[in-house]
Structures are given as C-alpha cells and as structure tokens.
PDB file of all heavy atoms in Angstrom:
ATOM      1  N   LYS T   1       6.473  54.930 -70.017  1.00  0.00           N
ATOM      2  CA  LYS T   1       6.792  53.933 -71.118  1.00  0.00           C
ATOM      3  C   LYS T   1       8.293  53.582 -70.995  1.00  0.00           C
ATOM      4  O   LYS T   1       9.129  54.447 -70.984  1.00  0.00           O
ATOM      5  CB  LYS T   1       6.422  54.424 -72.458  1.00  0.00           C
ATOM      6  CG  LYS T   1       6.659  53.391 -73.516  1.00  0.00           C
ATOM      7  CD  LYS T   1       6.195  53.984 -74.851  1.00  0.00           C
ATOM      8  CE  LYS T   1       4.686  53.872 -75.043  1.00  0.00           C
ATOM      9  NZ  LYS T   1       4.103  52.523 -75.210  1.00  0.00           N
ATOM     10  N   ILE T   2       8.512  52.288 -71.011  1.00  0.00           N
ATOM     11  CA  ILE T   2       9.954  51.744 -70.969  1.00  0.00           C
ATOM     12  C   ILE T   2      10.470  51.775 -72.476  1.00  0.00           C
ATOM     13  O   ILE T   2       9.811  51.255 -73.329  1.00  0.00           O
ATOM     14  CB  ILE T   2       9.951  50.370 -70.428  1.00  0.00           C
ATOM     15  CG1 ILE T   2       9.271  50.241 -69.030  1.00  0.00           C
ATOM     16  CG2 ILE T   2      11.458  49.921 -70.271  1.00  0.00           C
ATOM     17  CD1 ILE T   2       9.858  51.215 -67.992  1.00  0.00           C
ATOM     18  N   SER T   3      11.537  52.392 -72.707  1.00  0.00           N
ATOM     19  CA  SER T   3      12.038  52.605 -73.993  1.00  0.00           C
ATOM     20  C   SER T   3      12.305  51.236 -74.734  1.00  0.00           C
ATOM     21  O   SER T   3      11.889  51.038 -75.912  1.00  0.00           O
ATOM     22  CB  SER T   3      13.247  53.510 -74.029  1.00  0.00           C
ATOM     23  OG  SER T   3      12.998  54.712 -73.508  1.00  0.00           O
ATOM     24  N   ARG T   4      13.111  50.348 -74.115  1.00  0.00           N
ATOM     25  CA  ARG T   4      13.547  49.200 -74.770  1.00  0.00           C
ATOM     26  C   ARG T   4      12.454  48.241 -75.108  1.00  0.00           C
ATOM     27  O   ARG T   4      12.426  47.669 -76.147  1.00  0.00           O
ATOM     28  CB  ARG T   4      14.668  48.552 -73.888  1.00  0.00           C
ATOM     29  CG  ARG T   4      15.315  47.276 -74.560  1.00  0.00           C
ATOM     30  CD  ARG T   4      16.348  46.776 -73.606  1.00  0.00           C
ATOM     31  NE  ARG T   4      15.879  46.256 -72.371  1.00  0.00           N
ATOM     32  CZ  ARG T   4      15.361  45.079 -72.100  1.00  0.00           C
ATOM     33  NH1 ARG T   4      15.259  44.263 -73.116  1.00  0.00           N
ATOM     34  NH2 ARG T   4      14.947  44.829 -70.914  1.00  0.00           N
ATOM     35  N   THR T   5      11.563  48.085 -74.171  1.00  0.00           N
ATOM     36  CA  THR T   5      10.478  47.060 -74.336  1.00  0.00           C
ATOM     37  C   THR T   5       9.164  47.613 -74.890  1.00  0.00           C
ATOM     38  O   THR T   5       8.269  46.888 -75.404  1.00  0.00           O
ATOM     39  CB  THR T   5      10.220  46.343 -73.048  1.00  0.00           C
ATOM     40  OG1 THR T   5       9.712  47.236 -72.069  1.00  0.00           O
ATOM     41  CG2 THR T   5      11.459  45.690 -72.546  1.00  0.00           C
ATOM     42  N   GLY T   6       8.991  48.933 -74.657  1.00  0.00           N
ATOM     43  CA  GLY T   6       7.711  49.546 -75.003  1.00  0.00           C
ATOM     44  C   GLY T   6       6.611  49.321 -73.929  1.00  0.00           C
ATOM     45  O   GLY T   6       5.486  49.767 -74.161  1.00  0.00           O
ATOM     46  N   THR T   7       6.985  48.660 -72.862  1.00  0.00           N
ATOM     47  CA  THR T   7       6.027  48.416 -71.827  1.00  0.00           C
ATOM     48  C   THR T   7       5.613  49.673 -71.245  1.00  0.00           C
ATOM     49  O   THR T   7       6.386  50.608 -70.993  1.00  0.00           O
ATOM     50  CB  THR T   7       6.702  47.566 -70.708  1.00  0.00           C
ATOM     51  OG1 THR T   7       7.088  46.386 -71.288  1.00  0.00           O
ATOM     52  CG2 THR T   7       5.731  47.237 -69.598  1.00  0.00           C
ATOM     53  N   THR T   8       4.292  49.843 -70.859  1.00  0.00           N
ATOM     54  CA  THR T   8       3.750  51.025 -70.266  1.00  0.00           C
ATOM     55  C   THR T   8       3.124  50.742 -68.957  1.00  0.00           C
ATOM     56  O   THR T   8       2.411  49.736 -68.743  1.00  0.00           O
ATOM     57  CB  THR T   8       2.636  51.564 -71.246  1.00  0.00           C
ATOM     58  OG1 THR T   8       3.176  51.879 -72.517  1.00  0.00           O
ATOM     59  CG2 THR T   8       2.097  52.926 -70.622  1.00  0.00           C
ATOM     60  N   ASN T   9       3.420  51.554 -67.982  1.00  0.00           N
ATOM     61  CA  ASN T   9       2.807  51.435 -66.651  1.00  0.00           C
ATOM     62  C   ASN T   9       1.839  52.638 -66.413  1.00  0.00           C
ATOM     63  O   ASN T   9       2.216  53.786 -66.632  1.00  0.00           O
ATOM     64  CB  ASN T   9       3.911  51.465 -65.571  1.00  0.00           C
ATOM     65  CG  ASN T   9       4.958  50.297 -65.678  1.00  0.00           C
ATOM     66  OD1 ASN T   9       4.462  49.214 -66.051  1.00  0.00           O
ATOM     67  ND2 ASN T   9       6.184  50.532 -65.439  1.00  0.00           N
ATOM     68  N   TYR T  10       0.716  52.290 -65.907  1.00  0.00           N
ATOM     69  CA  TYR T  10      -0.366  53.337 -65.533  1.00  0.00           C
ATOM     70  C   TYR T  10      -0.705  53.257 -64.156  1.00  0.00           C
ATOM     71  O   TYR T  10      -0.810  52.228 -63.494  1.00  0.00           O
ATOM     72  CB  TYR T  10      -1.543  53.094 -66.462  1.00  0.00           C
ATOM     73  CG  TYR T  10      -1.410  53.413 -67.929  1.00  0.00           C
ATOM     74  CD1 TYR T  10      -1.217  52.402 -68.866  1.00  0.00           C
ATOM     75  CD2 TYR T  10      -1.531  54.745 -68.312  1.00  0.00           C
ATOM     76  CE1 TYR T  10      -1.154  52.665 -70.163  1.00  0.00           C
ATOM     77  CE2 TYR T  10      -1.420  55.044 -69.696  1.00  0.00           C
ATOM     78  CZ  TYR T  10      -1.246  54.006 -70.575  1.00  0.00           C
ATOM     79  OH  TYR T  10      -1.183  54.318 -71.946  1.00  0.00           O
ATOM     80  N   ALA T  11      -0.911  54.522 -63.591  1.00  0.00           N
ATOM     81  CA  ALA T  11      -1.552  54.532 -62.262  1.00  0.00           C
ATOM     82  C   ALA T  11      -3.042  54.079 -62.392  1.00  0.00           C
ATOM     83  O   ALA T  11      -3.580  54.133 -63.533  1.00  0.00           O
ATOM     84  CB  ALA T  11      -1.537  55.973 -61.733  1.00  0.00           C
ATOM     85  N   ASP T  12      -3.596  53.601 -61.325  1.00  0.00           N
ATOM     86  CA  ASP T  12      -5.046  53.083 -61.369  1.00  0.00           C
ATOM     87  C   ASP T  12      -5.954  54.178 -61.841  1.00  0.00           C
ATOM     88  O   ASP T  12      -6.844  53.902 -62.720  1.00  0.00           O
ATOM     89  CB  ASP T  12      -5.442  52.632 -59.983  1.00  0.00           C
ATOM     90  CG  ASP T  12      -4.760  51.349 -59.616  1.00  0.00           C
ATOM     91  OD1 ASP T  12      -4.188  50.614 -60.514  1.00  0.00           O
ATOM     92  OD2 ASP T  12      -4.762  50.988 -58.459  1.00  0.00           O
ATOM     93  N   PHE T  13      -5.737  55.425 -61.465  1.00  0.00           N
ATOM     94  CA  PHE T  13      -6.672  56.493 -61.839  1.00  0.00           C
ATOM     95  C   PHE T  13      -6.476  56.843 -63.333  1.00  0.00           C
ATOM     96  O   PHE T  13      -7.420  57.397 -63.963  1.00  0.00           O
ATOM     97  CB  PHE T  13      -6.453  57.743 -61.062  1.00  0.00           C
ATOM     98  CG  PHE T  13      -5.057  58.367 -61.205  1.00  0.00           C
ATOM     99  CD1 PHE T  13      -4.849  59.182 -62.308  1.00  0.00           C
ATOM    100  CD2 PHE T  13      -4.082  58.175 -60.301  1.00  0.00           C
ATOM    101  CE1 PHE T  13      -3.561  59.798 -62.447  1.00  0.00           C
ATOM    102  CE2 PHE T  13      -2.864  58.737 -60.465  1.00  0.00           C
ATOM    103  CZ  PHE T  13      -2.659  59.496 -61.555  1.00  0.00           C
ATOM    104  N   ALA T  14      -5.373  56.472 -63.910  1.00  0.00           N
ATOM    105  CA  ALA T  14      -5.125  56.874 -65.281  1.00  0.00           C
ATOM    106  C   ALA T  14      -5.575  55.754 -66.306  1.00  0.00           C
ATOM    107  O   ALA T  14      -5.919  56.024 -67.452  1.00  0.00           O
ATOM    108  CB  ALA T  14      -3.635  57.125 -65.502  1.00  0.00           C
ATOM    109  N   ARG T  15      -5.578  54.511 -65.816  1.00  0.00           N
ATOM    110  CA  ARG T  15      -5.925  53.335 -66.704  1.00  0.00           C
ATOM    111  C   ARG T  15      -7.347  53.524 -67.273  1.00  0.00           C
ATOM    112  O   ARG T  15      -8.353  53.721 -66.579  1.00  0.00           O
ATOM    113  CB  ARG T  15      -5.755  52.091 -65.924  1.00  0.00           C
ATOM    114  CG  ARG T  15      -5.609  50.800 -66.772  1.00  0.00           C
ATOM    115  CD  ARG T  15      -5.241  49.575 -65.952  1.00  0.00           C
ATOM    116  NE  ARG T  15      -3.866  49.729 -65.505  1.00  0.00           N
ATOM    117  CZ  ARG T  15      -3.501  49.865 -64.196  1.00  0.00           C
ATOM    118  NH1 ARG T  15      -4.429  49.936 -63.277  1.00  0.00           N
ATOM    119  NH2 ARG T  15      -2.268  49.923 -63.937  1.00  0.00           N
ATOM    120  N   GLY T  16      -7.421  53.449 -68.574  1.00  0.00           N
ATOM    121  CA  GLY T  16      -8.727  53.563 -69.226  1.00  0.00           C
ATOM    122  C   GLY T  16      -9.120  55.039 -69.691  1.00  0.00           C
ATOM    123  O   GLY T  16      -9.922  55.131 -70.526  1.00  0.00           O
ATOM    124  N   ARG T  17      -8.450  55.955 -69.027  1.00  0.00           N
ATOM    125  CA  ARG T  17      -8.702  57.346 -69.411  1.00  0.00           C
ATOM    126  C   ARG T  17      -7.564  58.107 -70.093  1.00  0.00           C
ATOM    127  O   ARG T  17      -7.661  58.966 -70.936  1.00  0.00           O
ATOM    128  CB  ARG T  17      -9.148  58.216 -68.250  1.00  0.00           C
ATOM    129  CG  ARG T  17     -10.404  57.760 -67.539  1.00  0.00           C
ATOM    130  CD  ARG T  17     -10.923  58.807 -66.544  1.00  0.00           C
ATOM    131  NE  ARG T  17      -9.898  58.970 -65.475  1.00  0.00           N
ATOM    132  CZ  ARG T  17      -9.432  60.107 -65.047  1.00  0.00           C
ATOM    133  NH1 ARG T  17      -9.939  61.268 -65.664  1.00  0.00           N
ATOM    134  NH2 ARG T  17      -8.536  60.274 -64.112  1.00  0.00           N
ATOM    135  N   PHE T  18      -6.325  57.663 -69.704  1.00  0.00           N
ATOM    136  CA  PHE T  18      -5.070  58.360 -70.147  1.00  0.00           C
ATOM    137  C   PHE T  18      -4.403  57.312 -71.046  1.00  0.00           C
ATOM    138  O   PHE T  18      -4.398  56.102 -70.805  1.00  0.00           O
ATOM    139  CB  PHE T  18      -4.224  58.811 -69.080  1.00  0.00           C
ATOM    140  CG  PHE T  18      -4.722  59.845 -68.164  1.00  0.00           C
ATOM    141  CD1 PHE T  18      -4.102  60.327 -67.097  1.00  0.00           C
ATOM    142  CD2 PHE T  18      -5.991  60.368 -68.313  1.00  0.00           C
ATOM    143  CE1 PHE T  18      -4.511  61.275 -66.259  1.00  0.00           C
ATOM    144  CE2 PHE T  18      -6.554  61.357 -67.542  1.00  0.00           C
ATOM    145  CZ  PHE T  18      -5.836  61.839 -66.468  1.00  0.00           C
ATOM    146  N   ALA T  19      -3.658  57.868 -72.015  1.00  0.00           N
ATOM    147  CA  ALA T  19      -2.830  56.991 -72.917  1.00  0.00           C
ATOM    148  C   ALA T  19      -1.530  57.652 -73.206  1.00  0.00           C
ATOM    149  O   ALA T  19      -1.534  58.930 -73.625  1.00  0.00           O
ATOM    150  CB  ALA T  19      -3.547  56.660 -74.223  1.00  0.00           C
ATOM    151  N   ILE T  20      -0.451  56.943 -72.983  1.00  0.00           N
ATOM    152  CA  ILE T  20       0.899  57.465 -73.178  1.00  0.00           C
ATOM    153  C   ILE T  20       1.411  56.833 -74.495  1.00  0.00           C
ATOM    154  O   ILE T  20       1.292  55.568 -74.681  1.00  0.00           O
ATOM    155  CB  ILE T  20       1.918  57.282 -72.009  1.00  0.00           C
ATOM    156  CG1 ILE T  20       3.227  58.025 -72.301  1.00  0.00           C
ATOM    157  CG2 ILE T  20       2.114  55.796 -71.651  1.00  0.00           C
ATOM    158  CD1 ILE T  20       4.122  58.053 -71.020  1.00  0.00           C
ATOM    159  N   SER T  21       2.024  57.628 -75.303  1.00  0.00           N
ATOM    160  CA  SER T  21       2.587  57.142 -76.593  1.00  0.00           C
ATOM    161  C   SER T  21       3.848  57.734 -76.981  1.00  0.00           C
ATOM    162  O   SER T  21       4.171  58.852 -76.352  1.00  0.00           O
ATOM    163  CB  SER T  21       1.524  57.201 -77.678  1.00  0.00           C
ATOM    164  OG  SER T  21       1.167  58.506 -77.957  1.00  0.00           O
ATOM    165  N   ARG T  22       4.518  57.152 -77.923  1.00  0.00           N
ATOM    166  CA  ARG T  22       5.814  57.831 -78.459  1.00  0.00           C
ATOM    167  C   ARG T  22       5.378  58.944 -79.354  1.00  0.00           C
ATOM    168  O   ARG T  22       4.381  58.786 -80.070  1.00  0.00           O
ATOM    169  CB  ARG T  22       6.686  56.815 -79.234  1.00  0.00           C
ATOM    170  CG  ARG T  22       7.176  55.659 -78.374  1.00  0.00           C
ATOM    171  CD  ARG T  22       8.006  54.761 -79.207  1.00  0.00           C
ATOM    172  NE  ARG T  22       8.267  53.476 -78.557  1.00  0.00           N
ATOM    173  CZ  ARG T  22       9.182  53.234 -77.720  1.00  0.00           C
ATOM    174  NH1 ARG T  22      10.063  54.169 -77.466  1.00  0.00           N
ATOM    175  NH2 ARG T  22       9.345  52.132 -77.263  1.00  0.00           N
ATOM    176  N   GLY T  23       6.091  60.029 -79.341  1.00  0.00           N
ATOM    177  CA  GLY T  23       5.749  61.141 -80.277  1.00  0.00           C
ATOM    178  C   GLY T  23       6.425  60.818 -81.618  1.00  0.00           C
ATOM    179  O   GLY T  23       7.202  59.856 -81.809  1.00  0.00           O
ATOM    180  N   ASP T  24       6.250  61.744 -82.580  1.00  0.00           N
ATOM    181  CA  ASP T  24       6.746  61.563 -83.840  1.00  0.00           C
ATOM    182  C   ASP T  24       8.317  61.636 -83.862  1.00  0.00           C
ATOM    183  O   ASP T  24       9.000  60.991 -84.596  1.00  0.00           O
ATOM    184  CB  ASP T  24       6.235  62.628 -84.793  1.00  0.00           C
ATOM    185  CG  ASP T  24       4.803  62.405 -85.102  1.00  0.00           C
ATOM    186  OD1 ASP T  24       4.224  61.236 -84.930  1.00  0.00           O
ATOM    187  OD2 ASP T  24       4.112  63.360 -85.436  1.00  0.00           O
ATOM    188  N   ALA T  25       8.799  62.558 -82.992  1.00  0.00           N
ATOM    189  CA  ALA T  25      10.267  62.674 -82.938  1.00  0.00           C
ATOM    190  C   ALA T  25      10.845  61.757 -81.913  1.00  0.00           C
ATOM    191  O   ALA T  25      10.141  61.283 -81.092  1.00  0.00           O
ATOM    192  CB  ALA T  25      10.582  64.072 -82.534  1.00  0.00           C
ATOM    193  N   ARG T  26      12.103  61.504 -82.069  1.00  0.00           N
ATOM    194  CA  ARG T  26      12.766  60.580 -81.109  1.00  0.00           C
ATOM    195  C   ARG T  26      12.763  61.190 -79.777  1.00  0.00           C
ATOM    196  O   ARG T  26      12.886  62.421 -79.572  1.00  0.00           O
ATOM    197  CB  ARG T  26      14.160  60.345 -81.601  1.00  0.00           C
ATOM    198  CG  ARG T  26      14.941  59.270 -80.732  1.00  0.00           C
ATOM    199  CD  ARG T  26      16.317  58.995 -81.358  1.00  0.00           C
ATOM    200  NE  ARG T  26      17.027  58.064 -80.483  1.00  0.00           N
ATOM    201  CZ  ARG T  26      18.359  57.705 -80.746  1.00  0.00           C
ATOM    202  NH1 ARG T  26      18.962  58.413 -81.637  1.00  0.00           N
ATOM    203  NH2 ARG T  26      18.835  56.818 -80.010  1.00  0.00           N
ATOM    204  N   ASN T  27      12.642  60.365 -78.636  1.00  0.00           N
ATOM    205  CA  ASN T  27      12.685  60.839 -77.295  1.00  0.00           C
ATOM    206  C   ASN T  27      11.607  61.876 -77.049  1.00  0.00           C
ATOM    207  O   ASN T  27      11.829  62.840 -76.310  1.00  0.00           O
ATOM    208  CB  ASN T  27      14.088  61.360 -76.965  1.00  0.00           C
ATOM    209  CG  ASN T  27      15.168  60.347 -76.936  1.00  0.00           C
ATOM    210  OD1 ASN T  27      14.879  59.186 -76.405  1.00  0.00           O
ATOM    211  ND2 ASN T  27      16.371  60.671 -77.381  1.00  0.00           N
ATOM    212  N   THR T  28      10.443  61.598 -77.551  1.00  0.00           N
ATOM    213  CA  THR T  28       9.283  62.363 -77.164  1.00  0.00           C
ATOM    214  C   THR T  28       8.175  61.441 -76.710  1.00  0.00           C
ATOM    215  O   THR T  28       8.093  60.327 -77.160  1.00  0.00           O
ATOM    216  CB  THR T  28       8.739  63.198 -78.356  1.00  0.00           C
ATOM    217  OG1 THR T  28       8.369  62.322 -79.407  1.00  0.00           O
ATOM    218  CG2 THR T  28       9.776  64.112 -78.914  1.00  0.00           C
ATOM    219  N   ARG T  29       7.354  61.941 -75.824  1.00  0.00           N
ATOM    220  CA  ARG T  29       6.238  61.178 -75.366  1.00  0.00           C
ATOM    221  C   ARG T  29       5.031  62.141 -75.290  1.00  0.00           C
ATOM    222  O   ARG T  29       5.036  63.265 -75.110  1.00  0.00           O
ATOM    223  CB  ARG T  29       6.435  60.675 -73.913  1.00  0.00           C
ATOM    224  CG  ARG T  29       7.516  59.697 -73.749  1.00  0.00           C
ATOM    225  CD  ARG T  29       7.121  58.328 -74.283  1.00  0.00           C
ATOM    226  NE  ARG T  29       8.180  57.392 -74.081  1.00  0.00           N
ATOM    227  CZ  ARG T  29       9.244  57.142 -74.894  1.00  0.00           C
ATOM    228  NH1 ARG T  29       9.264  57.907 -75.985  1.00  0.00           N
ATOM    229  NH2 ARG T  29      10.088  56.309 -74.625  1.00  0.00           N
ATOM    230  N   VAL T  30       3.864  61.508 -75.625  1.00  0.00           N
ATOM    231  CA  VAL T  30       2.620  62.295 -75.660  1.00  0.00           C
ATOM    232  C   VAL T  30       1.735  61.582 -74.615  1.00  0.00           C
ATOM    233  O   VAL T  30       1.612  60.339 -74.577  1.00  0.00           O
ATOM    234  CB  VAL T  30       1.937  62.229 -77.012  1.00  0.00           C
ATOM    235  CG1 VAL T  30       0.548  62.750 -77.023  1.00  0.00           C
ATOM    236  CG2 VAL T  30       2.858  62.971 -78.018  1.00  0.00           C
ATOM    237  N   LEU T  31       1.030  62.375 -73.760  1.00  0.00           N
ATOM    238  CA  LEU T  31      -0.007  61.884 -72.821  1.00  0.00           C
ATOM    239  C   LEU T  31      -1.403  62.418 -73.256  1.00  0.00           C
ATOM    240  O   LEU T  31      -1.577  63.619 -73.259  1.00  0.00           O
ATOM    241  CB  LEU T  31       0.259  62.412 -71.438  1.00  0.00           C
ATOM    242  CG  LEU T  31      -0.613  61.840 -70.358  1.00  0.00           C
ATOM    243  CD1 LEU T  31      -0.488  60.257 -70.194  1.00  0.00           C
ATOM    244  CD2 LEU T  31      -0.368  62.447 -68.987  1.00  0.00           C
ATOM    245  N   GLN T  32      -2.118  61.503 -73.829  1.00  0.00           N
ATOM    246  CA  GLN T  32      -3.478  61.886 -74.171  1.00  0.00           C
ATOM    247  C   GLN T  32      -4.441  61.607 -72.974  1.00  0.00           C
ATOM    248  O   GLN T  32      -4.634  60.460 -72.543  1.00  0.00           O
ATOM    249  CB  GLN T  32      -4.007  61.095 -75.470  1.00  0.00           C
ATOM    250  CG  GLN T  32      -5.344  61.381 -75.893  1.00  0.00           C
ATOM    251  CD  GLN T  32      -5.391  62.831 -76.483  1.00  0.00           C
ATOM    252  OE1 GLN T  32      -4.505  63.269 -77.226  1.00  0.00           O
ATOM    253  NE2 GLN T  32      -6.454  63.558 -76.061  1.00  0.00           N
ATOM    254  N   MET T  33      -5.104  62.635 -72.480  1.00  0.00           N
ATOM    255  CA  MET T  33      -5.991  62.500 -71.296  1.00  0.00           C
ATOM    256  C   MET T  33      -7.390  62.744 -71.785  1.00  0.00           C
ATOM    257  O   MET T  33      -7.673  63.697 -72.477  1.00  0.00           O
ATOM    258  CB  MET T  33      -5.612  63.502 -70.165  1.00  0.00           C
ATOM    259  CG  MET T  33      -4.156  63.352 -69.814  1.00  0.00           C
ATOM    260  SD  MET T  33      -3.672  64.431 -68.426  1.00  0.00           S
ATOM    261  CE  MET T  33      -3.741  66.058 -69.224  1.00  0.00           C
ATOM    262  N   SER T  34      -8.312  61.870 -71.469  1.00  0.00           N
ATOM    263  CA  SER T  34      -9.745  62.012 -71.776  1.00  0.00           C
ATOM    264  C   SER T  34     -10.581  61.933 -70.481  1.00  0.00           C
ATOM    265  O   SER T  34     -10.164  61.469 -69.537  1.00  0.00           O
ATOM    266  CB  SER T  34     -10.048  60.973 -72.787  1.00  0.00           C
ATOM    267  OG  SER T  34      -9.911  59.702 -72.261  1.00  0.00           O
ATOM    268  N   ASN T  35     -11.783  62.430 -70.685  1.00  0.00           N
ATOM    269  CA  ASN T  35     -12.782  62.435 -69.542  1.00  0.00           C
ATOM    270  C   ASN T  35     -12.109  63.011 -68.306  1.00  0.00           C
ATOM    271  O   ASN T  35     -12.211  62.481 -67.170  1.00  0.00           O
ATOM    272  CB  ASN T  35     -13.316  61.030 -69.285  1.00  0.00           C
ATOM    273  CG  ASN T  35     -14.447  61.062 -68.285  1.00  0.00           C
ATOM    274  OD1 ASN T  35     -15.192  61.950 -68.248  1.00  0.00           O
ATOM    275  ND2 ASN T  35     -14.689  59.923 -67.653  1.00  0.00           N
ATOM    276  N   LEU T  36     -11.468  64.033 -68.409  1.00  0.00           N
ATOM    277  CA  LEU T  36     -10.780  64.736 -67.226  1.00  0.00           C
ATOM    278  C   LEU T  36     -11.872  65.158 -66.180  1.00  0.00           C
ATOM    279  O   LEU T  36     -12.942  65.598 -66.560  1.00  0.00           O
ATOM    280  CB  LEU T  36      -9.996  65.937 -67.710  1.00  0.00           C
ATOM    281  CG  LEU T  36      -8.743  65.581 -68.372  1.00  0.00           C
ATOM    282  CD1 LEU T  36      -8.145  66.774 -69.272  1.00  0.00           C
ATOM    283  CD2 LEU T  36      -7.695  65.085 -67.426  1.00  0.00           C
ATOM    284  N   GLN T  37     -11.436  65.019 -64.972  1.00  0.00           N
ATOM    285  CA  GLN T  37     -12.298  65.385 -63.796  1.00  0.00           C
ATOM    286  C   GLN T  37     -11.554  66.395 -62.940  1.00  0.00           C
ATOM    287  O   GLN T  37     -10.338  66.486 -63.003  1.00  0.00           O
ATOM    288  CB  GLN T  37     -12.630  64.128 -63.041  1.00  0.00           C
ATOM    289  CG  GLN T  37     -13.430  63.153 -63.820  1.00  0.00           C
ATOM    290  CD  GLN T  37     -14.776  63.638 -64.328  1.00  0.00           C
ATOM    291  OE1 GLN T  37     -15.518  64.285 -63.572  1.00  0.00           O
ATOM    292  NE2 GLN T  37     -15.005  63.347 -65.591  1.00  0.00           N
ATOM    293  N   PRO T  38     -12.307  67.151 -62.131  1.00  0.00           N
ATOM    294  CA  PRO T  38     -11.701  68.173 -61.234  1.00  0.00           C
ATOM    295  C   PRO T  38     -10.515  67.570 -60.392  1.00  0.00           C
ATOM    296  O   PRO T  38      -9.549  68.260 -60.131  1.00  0.00           O
ATOM    297  CB  PRO T  38     -12.820  68.624 -60.351  1.00  0.00           C
ATOM    298  CG  PRO T  38     -14.016  68.403 -61.193  1.00  0.00           C
ATOM    299  CD  PRO T  38     -13.840  67.230 -62.015  1.00  0.00           C
ATOM    300  N   GLU T  39     -10.626  66.268 -60.003  1.00  0.00           N
ATOM    301  CA  GLU T  39      -9.592  65.659 -59.203  1.00  0.00           C
ATOM    302  C   GLU T  39      -8.277  65.425 -60.018  1.00  0.00           C
ATOM    303  O   GLU T  39      -7.260  65.161 -59.443  1.00  0.00           O
ATOM    304  CB  GLU T  39      -9.966  64.373 -58.573  1.00  0.00           C
ATOM    305  CG  GLU T  39     -10.626  63.373 -59.510  1.00  0.00           C
ATOM    306  CD  GLU T  39     -12.143  63.479 -59.638  1.00  0.00           C
ATOM    307  OE1 GLU T  39     -12.645  64.600 -59.557  1.00  0.00           O
ATOM    308  OE2 GLU T  39     -12.737  62.483 -59.893  1.00  0.00           O
ATOM    309  N   ASP T  40      -8.344  65.653 -61.317  1.00  0.00           N
ATOM    310  CA  ASP T  40      -7.186  65.570 -62.178  1.00  0.00           C
ATOM    311  C   ASP T  40      -6.308  66.840 -62.230  1.00  0.00           C
ATOM    312  O   ASP T  40      -5.309  66.894 -62.812  1.00  0.00           O
ATOM    313  CB  ASP T  40      -7.499  65.120 -63.587  1.00  0.00           C
ATOM    314  CG  ASP T  40      -8.119  63.749 -63.694  1.00  0.00           C
ATOM    315  OD1 ASP T  40      -7.536  62.838 -63.052  1.00  0.00           O
ATOM    316  OD2 ASP T  40      -9.145  63.603 -64.348  1.00  0.00           O
ATOM    317  N   THR T  41      -6.931  67.894 -61.549  1.00  0.00           N
ATOM    318  CA  THR T  41      -6.244  69.155 -61.511  1.00  0.00           C
ATOM    319  C   THR T  41      -4.916  69.036 -60.712  1.00  0.00           C
ATOM    320  O   THR T  41      -4.858  68.595 -59.655  1.00  0.00           O
ATOM    321  CB  THR T  41      -7.118  70.259 -60.809  1.00  0.00           C
ATOM    322  OG1 THR T  41      -8.302  70.467 -61.577  1.00  0.00           O
ATOM    323  CG2 THR T  41      -6.375  71.472 -60.557  1.00  0.00           C
ATOM    324  N   ALA T  42      -3.825  69.384 -61.391  1.00  0.00           N
ATOM    325  CA  ALA T  42      -2.486  69.245 -60.783  1.00  0.00           C
ATOM    326  C   ALA T  42      -1.485  69.831 -61.860  1.00  0.00           C
ATOM    327  O   ALA T  42      -1.763  70.133 -62.850  1.00  0.00           O
ATOM    328  CB  ALA T  42      -2.100  67.779 -60.607  1.00  0.00           C
ATOM    329  N   THR T  43      -0.271  69.930 -61.296  1.00  0.00           N
ATOM    330  CA  THR T  43       0.901  70.212 -62.177  1.00  0.00           C
ATOM    331  C   THR T  43       1.423  68.962 -62.714  1.00  0.00           C
ATOM    332  O   THR T  43       1.724  68.050 -61.858  1.00  0.00           O
ATOM    333  CB  THR T  43       1.905  71.032 -61.500  1.00  0.00           C
ATOM    334  OG1 THR T  43       1.455  72.328 -61.042  1.00  0.00           O
ATOM    335  CG2 THR T  43       3.147  71.298 -62.427  1.00  0.00           C
TER     336      THR T  43
END
C-alpha cells in the first residue's frame, strides 16, 4: 500500500483472496489472507 495515496498493489495470486489494510497504529499494515492453499506456503 502506498502511504500518500492509499493505492494498493496486489500480485495476481493474491487478488481476491488477500487484503492489505492499515493497522490501528501509525505505520502498521495488516495482511488478511483467506482461502489459503498449500502453494501459499512461504516465509
């Protein structure tokens, strides 16, 4: 997420399943991932 504009960029595999948002505190980000699949296994 771009701080100044709020624009968000997603990888194709993330679009529709993952959502990034600002956290409650300043300079925090939350990544909500849904419908996870084995191919999402990663660091």
Side-chain angles (χ1 to χ4, degrees):
K1 183 178 282 291
I2 309 300
S3 299
R4 184 176 61 85
T5 63
T7 302
T8 302
N9 298 323
Y10 288 100
D12 288 342
F13 65 81
R15 197 169 289 113
R17 296 190 301 133
F18 296 180
I20 186 171
S21 61
R22 300 180 194 271
D24 293 335
R26 188 179 180 186
N27 291 322
T28 63
R29 292 292 183 271
V30 173
L31 182 68
Q32 181 68 44
M33 303 183 292
S34 61
N35 191 24
L36 285 162
Q37 299 300 315
E39 53 265 33
D40 295 315
T41 295
T43 299

